[in-house]
Amino acid sequence: MILTYIENWEGKFKKLSYELVSYSYELAKKLNTKVIALSIGNVNNDELTLLAKYGAHKIITVKNQQLNILDNKLFAEVITNVAQKNEATCIILANNTTGKAIAPRLSVKLQAGLVAGVESIPTNTQPFTIRKKVYTGKAYNNVIVKTPKKILTLFQNSFGLVENPQEANIENLDISTAESEIKLIEVNKVTGKILLQDAEIVVSAGRGLKAPENWGIVEDLAKILNAATACSRPVSDEGWRPHSEHVGQTGKIIAPNLYFALGISGAIQHLGGVSSSKCIVAVNTDKDAPIFEAADYGIIGDVRKVIPELIVAIKQTKK
Amino acid sequence: MKILVCISNVPDTTTKIKFVNDYELDKTGIQWIINPWDELALTRALELKEASAGAIKKITVINVGAAETEPTIRKALAVGADDAIRVNIIAKDAYQTAKQIAEAVKDENYDLILTGVESSDSNGMAVGEMLAELLNINSAASISGINFDKSLFTIKREIDGGTELLTIKTPFLATVQKGIAINPRIPAMRGIMQARTKPLKVVEPKNIYNYVEYTDYELPKPKGKCKMIAADNVTELVNLLHNEAKVI
Ligand SMILES: Cc1cc2nc3c(=O)[nH]c(=O)nc-3n(C[C@H](O)[C@H](O)[C@H](O)COP(=O)(O)OP(=O)(O)OC[C@H]3O[C@@H](n4cnc5c(N)ncnc54)[C@H](O)[C@@H]3O)c2cc1C
Ligand SMILES: Nc1ncnc2c1ncn2[C@@H]1O[C@H](COP(=O)(O)O)[C@@H](O)[C@H]1O
C-alpha cells in the first residue's frame, strides 16, 4: 500500500493535496499497489471524497481533539499506527513545513529510508532509486533507498494534477493519543492574499526598485496577474517587504509556472529558491546581470518604465 | 539549563559545484562554513544564554564529521559556544547522522536542542526531527523565534500564510529557519584565541547502518538561451508569455 498524508487548511484541501494523491497514484501503478489517503483533523465527507477523483482507493479520516494543532510527535504516532495497520510500504507527504516536520520521525519509527524533496517518481524500483536536488538546486543526486519501507516528501508544483477517478470508501478511525505538550497562544495570519507557495505566478522584486515606496507598480502587476508578490533577501532584511516574501536559499523555495525577477541581480543564493520555476522573466538595467542566464525571457531596461508599460499591455490582451 | 546546537560543515553558499567523477564533490578551492541556519541557531542560543541571568549554563555544539571539520567547529567556539563534540565519521545519510548524535548525547539531558531546517549541501531536511524522535522528546519545526522566560520557552512557528506562537515543554528540539536571529555573530580576535583552548571532545562512532545511499550526481541541464525583448516592445513579451510559454 501507498499511504499519503493529506493536510487540511481549516477543513479544506488545496491543489497540493490533489497533487500528492496524483503522485501517489502514479507510484502505486509502478509498484502495482493501491493508494490510501489519510486525513487528520476536521474535514467533512464531501471534501474527503474529492481525493478519490485523483486516485485514492481508500480514504481514512482521524479526528481527535489533541490533533487540532500540529504536534510532530503525536502526528507521527498516528500516521505510524495507520501505516502499520495497512501495511504501507511507501509513505508520501508534502515537502512543506508540515511534511518536513513529520516525515523524519516516521522514518525512525518505521525504519524506513527517507528522501525529502523529490520532484518525480522513482527511476527504478529494484533497487528503489529516485532523484533529488542537492546543493540548493545546483545539482541532482540519485538516491537508493535500501530499507523495505520508504518515505518521500514531494515538492509542491513539481508533479502536477492528474485525474484518476476511483470509487473510494471513507473509513473513520478512532485513534487516541497522549495530551499534547505544545500549547497554542496565538495565530497571526494574513487572509485574502494568495500564498507564495500556492501561486501560479509570482512577481518578485529586488534592490533595483531602490526604495519601499516604489513597490506600488510591483503590487499592481501582481494584482492584474492574480499573482503573489516576493522579494530578494536584502529587500526583506532592510524591512522594505515582510520576511514572508523572501525567496531563495535561506527563504522560501518556490516553483511557480511564471516568475518575474524585477531589479534582481540573480545571485546564486537567490536562484536556489526560484530556479525550478517553469518560466522566468527578468527585467534589469544591467545586460550582464546573472539573472539573464537563468531567465527564459529578458528585457534590458528600467523597471520604473517597463513595469507600467507591461501592466498596460497585459490589460489590453485581457480585453 | 543546557543547550545543544547541531552544526553541519558545508561549502560556502557561492561555491560553484563541480564533481570529480559523477560520484564525488570536487573540493578544490572550496571554503567551508557553518551551515547558515545552524549559524543563526547558535547566535540565538548565545543571545538566550546572555539574557538568562545564569539560568542557561552551557552551550555545546556537535558535529558529525571527519577531522577536516574542526576549523568550522573552532569557529563556533570562537563566537561563544562553551564546548564542542565531534563524532568521528563521515555519515552517509541523515539517519546515520541523527543516530550518531543521539548516541553521543543521550545521557546529557539537554533542555533545548537546536538544528537548522536543512543543510545546504545534502538538503536532507531530516536530521533534526530524526534526532527528536530518537531521543523521544518534543519538537517543533520551522521555528523563526524562540524566547525564554523563567523556565518557560515560547516559540514562533512558520505556517502557511502566517505564524503561530506556542509554548512547548522541555526538553525539546527546534529546527530553525530565517528570523531566529538576524545577523550571525562574527568571531572576534579574543574569541578566536579563547576557542583554541576550549574543550573539543572527539568521540568514536557507533556502528550504524544507513537507510539511503547517495549515488551519482548530475548537473542541471543548461538553460536554453534567454530570449531578449526590446524595452520599448513589452507587447511582444506579453504575446510570448501568452502564445509561446502559455503561462498567462
Ligand atoms: C548565506 C547567504 C544566503 C543568502 N540567501 C539569499 C536568499 O535566500 N535570497 C536572496 O535573494 N539572496 C540571498 N542572499 C544574498 C545574495 O547573495 C544577494 O546579495 C541578493 O540576492 C541580491 O539581491 P538583489 O538582487 O535584490 O540586489 P542587487 O544584487 O543589489 O541587485 C539589484 C539589481 O537591480 C538592477 N537594477 C538597478 N536599478 C534598476 C532599475 N532601475 N531597473 C531594473 N534593474 C535595476 C541592478 O542591475 C542589479 O542587477 C544570500 C547571501 C548569503 C551570503
Ligand atoms: N554532520 C552533521 N553534524 C551535526 N549536525 C548536522 C549534520 N548534518 C546535519 N546536521 C544538523 O541537521 C540540520 C538539518 O540537516 P539535513 O537533515 O542534513 O538537511 C542541520 O541544519 C544541522 O543542524
Side-chain angles (χ1 to χ4, degrees), chain A residues 205-210 231-235 246-252 262-271 283-286 289-291 301-304, chain B residues 12-14 33 36:
Chain A
R207 215 148 44 180
L209 266 282
K210 303 285 192 309
C231 68
S232 67
R233 171 160 137 174
V235 164
H246 161 196
V247 291
Q249 182 183 337
T250 44
K252 290 205 170 72
L262 309 169
I264 290 176
S265 60
I268 199 152
Q269 299 98 342
H270 184 82
L271 296 177
V283 181
N284 200 302
T285 41
D286 175 8
I291 190 71
D302 188 329
V303 282
R304 285 164 298 187
Chain B
D12 174 76
T13 52
T14 53
I33 59 165

Side-chain angles (χ1 to χ4, degrees), chain A:
Chain A
M1 281 293 172
I2 305 235
L3 179 69
T4 178
Y5 167 63
I6 307 295
E7 179 179 2
N8 71 82
W9 292 263
E10 271 122 37
K12 295 283 173 225
F13 296 138
K14 58 186 184 189
K15 190 178 159 197
L16 168 65
S17 323
Y18 308 125
E19 186 174 17
L20 281 168
V21 180
S22 306
Y23 177 89
S24 302
Y25 182 86
E26 189 66 25
L27 183 61
K29 236 174 34 186
K30 196 157 180 160
L31 297 172
N32 211 357
T33 181
K34 307 229 141 147
V35 178
I36 299 175
L38 167 65
S39 159
I40 298 177
N42 287 319
V43 182
N44 68 31
N45 281 6
D46 287 346
E47 191 76 9
L48 288 168
T49 308
L50 295 173
L51 300 173
K53 189 168 146 199
Y54 296 88
H57 298 97
K58 180 167 146 187
I59 297 157
I60 296 178
T61 162
V62 177
K63 299 180 177 112
N64 168 336
Q65 281 304 315
Q66 293 305 324
L67 302 172
N68 286 345
I69 76 155
L70 177 63
D71 180 322
N72 307 343
K73 210 166 155 214
L74 301 184
F75 271 61
E77 276 169 24
V78 170
I79 299 173
T80 298
N81 183 320
V82 175
Q84 281 168 337
K85 272 197 192 122
N86 291 280
E87 293 174 6
T89 49
C90 272
I91 305 179
I92 313 297
L93 299 96
N95 192 59
N96 62 359
T97 51
T98 310
K100 286 189 275 190
I102 307 170
R105 281 187 177 262
L106 295 177
S107 169
V108 171
K109 280 187 177 301
L110 292 161
Q111 295 175 304
L114 162 67
V115 186
V118 301
E119 298 178 318
S120 49
I121 60 165
T123 45
N124 198 350
T125 55
Q126 289 296 347
F128 192 98
T129 314
I130 194 158
R131 213 163 88 124
K132 123 176 202 61
K133 267 192 194 168
V134 288
Y135 295 104
T136 323
K138 289 186 232 169
Y140 289 98
N141 209 172
N142 286 308
V143 188
I144 295 176
V145 186
K146 303 197 297 183
T147 49
K149 292 180 191 143
K150 284 103 185 154
I151 300 174
L152 308 174
T153 68
L154 178 73
F155 262 121
Q156 184 161 355
N157 216 14
S158 59
F159 187 77
L161 298 184
V162 187
E163 294 190 9
N164 313 286
Q166 306 296 324
E167 296 279 335
N169 288 336
I170 298 177
E171 184 186 329
N172 276 285
L173 263 190
D174 224 350
I175 300 177
S176 58
T177 58
E179 193 181 326
S180 175
E181 295 184 330
I182 299 176
K183 297 272 170 285
L184 183 64
I185 306 173
E186 64 180 46
V187 186
N188 289 301
K189 250 185 172 174
V190 281
T191 46
K193 265 199 127 182
I194 302 165
L195 294 183
L196 195 43
Q197 307 92 287
D198 296 341
E200 308 271 341
I201 303 178
V202 172
V203 177
S204 183
R207 215 148 44 180
L209 266 282
K210 303 285 192 309
E213 55 272 20
N214 298 334
W215 247 263
I217 46 174
V218 176
E219 291 193 327
D220 289 346
L221 179 60
K223 202 156 168 212
I224 58 158
L225 288 169
N226 215 3
T229 47
C231 68
S232 67
R233 171 160 137 174
V235 164
S236 70
D237 282 354
E238 291 288 335
W240 296 358
R241 300 295 295 175
H243 283 297
S244 57
E245 285 195 1
H246 161 196
V247 291
Q249 182 183 337
T250 44
K252 290 205 170 72
I253 294 177
I254 53 170
N257 293 335
L258 176 57
Y259 181 77
F260 283 90
L262 309 169
I264 290 176
S265 60
I268 199 152
Q269 299 98 342
H270 184 82
L271 296 177
V274 304
S275 59
S276 293
S277 307
K278 311 270 174 331
C279 177
I280 297 179
V281 173
V283 181
N284 200 302
T285 41
D286 175 8
K287 70 172 179 23
D288 296 322
I291 190 71
F292 289 122
E293 280 160 42
D296 299 279
Y297 301 104
I299 291 182
I300 298 162
D302 188 329
V303 282
R304 285 164 298 187
K305 188 166 160 287
V306 174
I307 305 177
E309 288 178 11
L310 197 54
I311 293 171
V312 174
I314 293 168
K315 275 190 185 145
Q316 258 154 17
T317 38
K318 286 207 161 171
K319 268 184 204 152

Side-chain angles (χ1 to χ4, degrees), chain B residues 6-8 35 38 62-64 97 115-116 118-119 122 124-127:
Chain B
C6 301
I7 56 170
S8 73
N35 184 41
D38 308 353
I62 188 164
N63 170 259
V64 179
T97 306
T115 74
E118 68 179 281
S119 37
S122 66
M125 310 180 235
V127 169

